[in-house]
């Protein structure tokens, strides 16, 4: 164990000393948000980065440790950073979504994110959480098991973070601005990336290819992260089977597959066992989207290379044959459904699945797209001359101009939010059949209040208004259990009988099936204001979001702590 710790510290010392120090159980990082000129495809642009790196630096910590990240904003944009999947128990001030838990860090300002990692270990990531800034501001967040603990799947020989992203040749803020203005869908990305590199299947891009160099007969833990903005991805490595062992920093019952599916906001740990002997070949590892919505999407493929180290110099090193994986069709919903059915919590005595067996509060949320009427003096380019919008229970969430958490903590909710978020949609209809004639949504900053320790069940029902689509729903502050999912309309009389309350997958982001539903359960044991939203940034921008206000409990360790003194002001 001491050796491992030494190795860790050495790693930090030699590669990341510039921004990280580790003392006792606390890890200190410095994030300098600044512009950097980056070239991809045939195009160079000035991009917002952390410390000039793309993707951003890797954050490492151990379960039980404290993480302190000082973020200095040296760009013209507003910035916040979210520690995606970290529960932030009592420390909602460090969660990061702009106007939910904090005002943005404005140009020239700093803010220190300070939190401990309790009861969690695995692969997560950090990303900006304001507008579309996360297009370039993201990086891995790796929580190692405690020093006395080990993985339930055996120690791999090496660990490699593999982060998927999306690249636009233009400034992504201009892309979302234009979409919100015209009402049309935003311009799609120009490439997908693996660790910031699009790979050889794009123009001017062969030199920007991620290469994983491996030795035969070893086991590699690949920490896969989907940081793309608007696309779920299939991923596969040619001629190799991988073993899925963890999702969203929760150990699962291992299973073998050729292809995984990963939605934005999700993480997946897989074991890659390399071939026993040098294969005299190279292999693509490829990702391309799983697409369900209507409209235009980036349907390109990113590829990296799996390269075996030559056993000796007599083997040829150039012109090796390259094998390509076959990925499911872009719209292969049966594959997606079958894959998600295979995910089961480990649910053993060391890592139990604490599924709430009784439910205090039930909610039925319709999620999907809708429209806003075109302003009188404008022409709009959304469906039938309207503007695209998105909603939960027909409410398109409006961000306030100050942070909800501040308003809540200081008892100043008046004029900021109201607590009337509905338990059910305004009227029932055949959610996945012929849509109602009126597709317009309402707008508001509405939240739902939950007493401390309430057990909650939410049916997430996709709608066919403007087309069915798989939506990756993400909840801040909690993991939830996905106790059921299916296609069509959720049936309150029949479907609960089929719920899995024994070993359902526990995670923080669920892909709600296209034209179907998913049912989640969680225990509201973390006081604060917690965002729940679609992790497609385009739907997030259009309003597919809401917030839960979880009240303090009676005991001191059940209360939201006071805000740090440097909390940004609006
Ligand atoms: C982080 O929070 C802890 C606990 O409140 C506090 O003791 C510590 O001083 C904080 N560190 C920084 C750098 O703000
Ligand atoms: C490791 O130590 C922590 C506290 O120091 C303890 O709670 C935990 O049960 C231990 N885990 C194992 C696997 O021994
Ligand atoms: C996008 O819109 C925001 C707010 O209206 C504005 O501050 C920003 O300059 C715009 N950015 C670009 C690149 O158009
Ligand atoms: C989006 O694409 C259209 C058509 O190619 C182009 O005219 C427009 O400038 C693009 N918008 C941005 C923000 O790049
Ligand atoms: C890779 O898989 C292809 C198709 O299944 C097969 O033809 C080929 O022989 C395999 N190559 C290696 C080196 O495993
Ligand atoms: C990918 O999208 C392009 C442009 O929208 C389209 O022309 C092409 O047919 C699509 N390819 C596939 C395989 O769907
Ligand atoms: C449309 O009218 C509104 C209010 O009358 C005004 O604020 C806005 O600037 C106008 N927009 C355009 C594009 O003229
Ligand atoms: C647009 O209007 C036409 C004719 O009124 C209607 O058939 C169609 O369903 C509408 N499309 C959308 C997306 O609302
Ligand atoms: C909903 O619409 C679908 C598609 O038209 C149809 O197959 C289904 O029977 C309808 N369900 C109900 C409950 O009416
Ligand atoms: C939509 O409008 C048509 C014609 O006005 C009407 O016959 C139909 O019942 C309406 N459908 C719904 C779902 O409201
Ligand atoms: C929460 O409620 C459960 C019963 O549903 C109880 O067993 C547990 O002790 C409570 N937890 C806290 C922290 O109050
Ligand atoms: C940055 O945030 C502040 C505080 O909310 C706001 O007043 C300002 O308009 C924002 N600036 C931009 C460029 O969005
Ligand atoms: Cu969505």
């Amino acid at each position: 164990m001491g050796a491992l710790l030494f190795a860790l510290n050495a790693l930090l010392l030699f590669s990341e000393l510039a921004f990280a120090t580790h003392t006792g159980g606390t890890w200190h990082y410095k994030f300098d948000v600044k512009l950097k000129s980056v070239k991809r495809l045939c195009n160079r642009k000035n991009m917002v980065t952390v410390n000039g790196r793309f993707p951003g630096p890797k954050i490492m910590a151990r379960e039980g440790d404290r993480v302190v990240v000082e973020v200095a904003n040296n760009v013209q944009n507003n910035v916040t950073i979210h520690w995606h999947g970290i529960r932030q128990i009592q420390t909602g001030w460090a969660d990061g979504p702009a106007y939910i838990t904090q005002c943005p860090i404005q140009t020239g300002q700093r803010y220190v994110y300070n939190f401990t990692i309790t009861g969690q270990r695995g692969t997560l990531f950090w990303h900006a959480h304001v507008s579309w800034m996360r297009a370039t501001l993201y990086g891995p967040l790796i929580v190692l098991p405690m020093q006395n603990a080990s993985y339930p799947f055996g120690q791999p020989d090496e660990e490699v973070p593999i982060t998927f992203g999306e690249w636009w040749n233009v400034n992504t803020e201009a892309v979302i601005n234009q979409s919100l203005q015209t009402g049309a869908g935003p311009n799609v990305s120009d490439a997908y990336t693996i660790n910031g590199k699009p790979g050889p299947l794009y123009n001017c891009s062969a030199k920007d290819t991620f290469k994983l160099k491996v030795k035969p007969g070893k086991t590699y833990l690949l920490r896969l992260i989907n940081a793309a903005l608007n696309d779920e991805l299939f991923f596969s490595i040619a001629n190799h089977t991988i073993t899925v062992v963890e999702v969203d920093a929760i150990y699962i019952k291992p299973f073998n597959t050729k292809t995984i599916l990963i939605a934005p906001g999700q993480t997946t740990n897989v074991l890659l066992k390399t071939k026993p002997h040098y294969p005299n070949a190279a292999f693509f590892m490829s990702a391309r989207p799983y697409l369900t919505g209507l409209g235009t999407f980036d349907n390109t493929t990113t590829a990296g290379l799996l390269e075996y180290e030559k056993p000796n110099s007599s083997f040829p090193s150039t012109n090796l044959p390259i094998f390509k994986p076959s990925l499911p069709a872009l719209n292969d919903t049966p594959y997606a459904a079958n894959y998600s059915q295979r995910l089961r919590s480990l649910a053993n005595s060391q890592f139990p699945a604490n599924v709430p067996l009784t439910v205090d509060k039930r909610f039925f949320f319709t999620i999907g797209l809708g429209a806003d009427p075109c302003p009188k003096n404008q022409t709009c380019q959304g469906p039938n001359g309207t503007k695209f919008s998105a909603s939960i229970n027909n409410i398109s969430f409006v961000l306030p101009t100050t942070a909800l958490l501040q308003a809540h903590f200081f008892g100043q909710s008046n004029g900021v939010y109201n607590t009337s978020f509905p338990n059910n949609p305004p009227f029932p209809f055949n959610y996945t059949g012929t849509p109602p004639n009126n597709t317009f949504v309402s707008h508001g900053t509405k939240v739902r209040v939950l007493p401390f320790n309430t057990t909650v069940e939410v049916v997430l029902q996709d709608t066919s208004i403007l087309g069915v689509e798989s939506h990756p729903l993400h909840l801040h502050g909690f993991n939830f259990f996905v106790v059921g999912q299916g296609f069509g309309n959720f049936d309150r009389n029949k479907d609960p009988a089929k719920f899995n309350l024994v070993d359902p997958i526990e995670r923080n982001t669920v892909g709600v099936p296209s034209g179907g539903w998913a049912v989640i359960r969680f225990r509201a044991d973390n006081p604060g204001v917690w965002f729940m939203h679609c992790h497609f940034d385009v739907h997030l921008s259009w309003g597919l979001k809401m917030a839960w206000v979880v009240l303090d409990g009676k005991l001191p360790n059940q209360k939201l702590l006071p805000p740090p003194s440097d909390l940004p002001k609006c």
Side-chain angles (χ1 to χ4, degrees):
M1 292 309 162
L4 183 60
L5 181 64
F6 173 79
L8 260 177
N9 282 329
L11 190 92
L12 281 173
L13 278 173
F14 294 122
S15 68
E16 319 203 326
L17 184 66
F19 78 104
T21 52
H22 180 209
T23 49
T26 302
W27 302 71
H28 291 266
Y29 292 89
K30 275 193 169 27
F31 275 20
D32 178 10
V33 180
K34 60 178 184 186
L35 287 179
K36 164 99 180 169
S37 168
V38 175
K39 192 173 180 199
R40 291 291 184 272
L41 309 184
C42 315
N43 186 75
R44 176 176 290 282
K45 71 173 177 182
N46 267 328
M47 203 168 92
V48 179
T49 65
V50 167
N51 302 347
R53 293 167 62 163
F54 175 64
K58 177 173 74 183
I59 294 259
M60 296 275 282
R62 223 177 248 295
E63 176 180 348
D65 285 350
R66 178 175 292 280
V67 173
V68 175
V69 188
E70 182 184 336
V71 179
N73 181 359
N74 292 309
V75 297
Q76 292 307 307
N77 310 75
N78 283 336
V79 168
T80 71
I81 305 287
H82 169 52
W83 316 94
H84 183 108
I86 298 284
R87 291 209 48 204
Q88 300 291 2
I89 292 164
Q90 299 180 271
T91 54
W93 308 106
D95 191 39
Y99 304 108
I100 305 297
T101 61
Q102 68 165 99
C103 296
I105 310 170
Q106 298 183 44
T107 309
Q109 292 183 351
R110 292 164 186 269
Y111 180 46
V112 177
Y113 292 89
N114 183 350
F115 54 90
T116 54
I117 301 174
T118 308
Q120 297 184 274
R121 81 297 304 165
T123 304
L124 295 168
F125 70 122
W126 58 265
H127 63 74
H129 213 307
V130 54
S131 190
W132 277 26
M133 297 303 292
R134 80 176 178 85
T136 61
L137 295 178
Y138 62 85
L141 195 175
I142 290 164
V143 185
L144 298 171
M146 285 183 178
Q147 288 198 41
N148 61 349
S150 52
Y151 299 128
F153 43 77
Q155 185 66 31
D157 295 296
E158 216 178 295
E159 306 191 359
V160 187
I162 294 189
T163 308
F164 304 110
E166 237 172 315
W167 168 270
W168 274 260
N169 286 329
V170 297
N171 180 347
T172 39
E173 288 306 292
V175 172
I176 183 58
N177 278 8
Q178 183 181 38
S179 164
L180 295 178
Q181 190 119 81
T182 64
N187 288 5
V188 302
S189 52
D190 297 290
Y192 296 100
T193 55
I194 298 179
N195 290 341
K197 298 175 172 178
L201 303 180
Y202 299 95
N203 287 339
C204 318
S205 185
K207 65 182 186 318
D208 294 317
T209 301
F210 170 69
K211 290 186 180 150
L212 177 59
K213 307 220 173 180
V214 296
K215 293 187 172 71
K218 303 270 184 211
T219 302
Y220 293 79
L221 175 64
L222 308 184
R223 298 177 173 274
L224 309 173
I225 298 164
N226 188 350
L229 266 72
N230 299 319
D231 297 271
E232 301 187 38
L233 295 167
F234 291 118
F235 171 76
S236 182
I237 306 175
N239 295 68
H240 290 75
T241 295
I242 49 185
T243 307
V244 186
V245 293
E246 181 199 300
V247 299
D248 295 7
I250 293 290
Y251 297 131
I252 66 163
K253 295 193 171 77
F255 66 92
N256 294 337
T257 184
K258 290 268 184 204
T259 302
I260 66 133
L261 174 62
I262 186 167
Q266 294 183 336
T267 55
T268 304
N269 278 6
V270 302
L271 295 175
L272 167 69
K273 261 189 168 21
T274 52
K275 294 182 179 295
H277 305 292
Y278 179 66
N280 220 359
F283 307 92
F284 267 171
M285 50 174 94
S286 308
R288 77 167 185 199
Y290 163 53
L291 298 174
T292 52
L294 301 175
T296 324
F297 292 88
D298 176 355
N299 58 19
T300 62
T301 304
T302 179
L305 268 180
L306 181 70
E307 281 184 353
Y308 281 74
E309 215 171 81
K310 282 195 298 176
N312 58 56
S313 56
S314 66
F315 282 84
S317 55
T318 50
N319 296 325
L320 289 180
I322 298 179
F323 293 93
K324 297 177 182 169
S326 70
L327 288 159
L330 294 167
N331 62 355
D332 196 341
T333 293
Y335 190 95
N338 183 47
Y339 178 81
S340 56
Q341 290 297 342
R342 297 180 76 185
L343 299 170
R344 299 291 162 112
S345 291
L346 194 51
N348 64 16
S349 56
Q350 201 187 349
F351 301 102
N354 293 316
V355 191
L357 298 178
T358 59
V359 174
D360 299 324
K361 289 271 187 292
R362 287 203 152 79
F363 299 92
F364 187 96
F365 286 1
T366 52
I367 58 169
L369 303 189
D372 281 332
C374 196
K376 287 266 167 350
N377 54 1
Q378 218 189 319
T379 52
C380 294
Q381 291 162 22
N384 280 356
T386 63
K387 298 180 90 161
F388 267 117
S389 190
S391 65
I392 302 180
N393 280 350
N394 209 45
I395 297 168
S396 182
F397 189 90
V398 179
L399 285 178
T401 52
T402 185
L404 297 181
L405 187 61
Q406 245 170 319
H408 162 64
F409 185 81
F410 293 107
Q412 295 166 343
S413 62
N414 232 342
V416 179
Y417 64 83
N418 76 52
T419 56
S420 62
F421 194 90
N423 298 359
N424 295 289
F427 59 91
F429 61 99
N430 184 345
Y431 305 109
T432 54
T434 309
N437 293 344
N438 182 355
T439 60
F440 291 132
V441 301
S442 65
H443 293 258
T445 309
K446 296 184 180 180
V447 304
R448 187 69 173 110
V449 176
L450 297 170
F452 183 78
N453 206 25
T454 305
T455 52
V456 179
E457 180 181 286
V458 190
V459 177
L460 299 165
Q461 172 73 58
D462 184 28
T463 69
S464 57
I465 301 170
L466 303 184
V468 295
E469 185 165 1
S470 170
H471 297 276
L473 256 283
H474 172 53
L475 176 62
H476 290 231
F478 305 92
N479 285 333
F480 50 72
F481 293 91
V482 184
V483 297
Q485 53 191 308
F487 291 105
N489 295 302
F490 174 72
D491 185 336
R492 164 69 46 219
N493 297 316
K494 291 207 185 103
D495 290 320
K498 290 177 263 169
F499 284 176
N500 174 4
L501 303 177
V502 177
D503 63 354
I505 194 64
E506 178 182 350
R507 59 190 326 170
N508 62 56
T509 305
V510 61
V512 176
S514 178
W517 50 270
V519 180
I520 62 170
R521 286 190 184 179
F522 65 96
R523 181 181 292 278
D525 58 359
N526 188 10
V529 177
W530 303 109
F531 211 12
M532 188 167 89
H533 61 88
C534 183
H535 217 279
F536 288 159
D537 269 19
V538 53
H539 297 173
L540 178 61
S541 299
W542 287 343
L544 211 171
K545 51 197 175 191
M546 58 83 68
W548 304 97
V549 173
V550 178
L551 303 178
D552 282 348
K554 292 201 175 69
L555 302 176
N557 66 356
Q558 300 172 347
K559 294 184 198 304
L560 175 65
L561 294 169
S565 57
D566 60 345
L567 184 73
K569 294 184 177 58
C570 281

